[in-house]
Amino acid sequence: MARTHDYAVHLTWTGGARGATRDYASYSRTYALAFEGKPTLEASADPLFRGGAALHNPEDLLVGALAGCHMLTYLA
């Protein structure tokens, strides 16, 4: 019997309060990632791409996911 693994996230652009996206330099890159039953993560682009330095960015999350998968595979 095959098992399925479903993962879902709801992404909300939280930077919209600064206004519409008029050009690359002016819009906010902050957003929230909501996972059911878990704390919401506030994130942004990497500071090199005008994001918030104090927030996690997609690159941080990717490297963290890879490191966690590697460790759990090793432990298994």
Side-chain angles (χ1 to χ4, degrees):
M1 183 172 153
R3 292 184 184 178
T4 61
H5 302 280
D6 298 316
Y7 302 93
V9 63
H10 181 82
L11 187 147
T12 303
W13 178 43
T14 56
R18 281 184 42 186
T21 58
R22 292 179 302 279
D23 57 58
Y24 184 76
S26 67
Y27 68 91
S28 171
R29 275 97 172 138
T30 60
Y31 58 92
L33 298 171
F35 304 88
E36 187 175 338
K38 298 177 184 175
T40 297
L41 296 175
E42 187 178 5
S44 183
D46 185 275
L48 292 172
F49 304 106
R50 302 178 184 261
L55 300 175
H56 291 294
N57 59 59
E59 294 82 2
D60 291 335
L61 299 173
L62 175 63
V63 171
L66 291 171
C69 287
H70 185 261
M71 180 200 70
L72 293 169
T73 299
Y74 175 77
L75 291 172

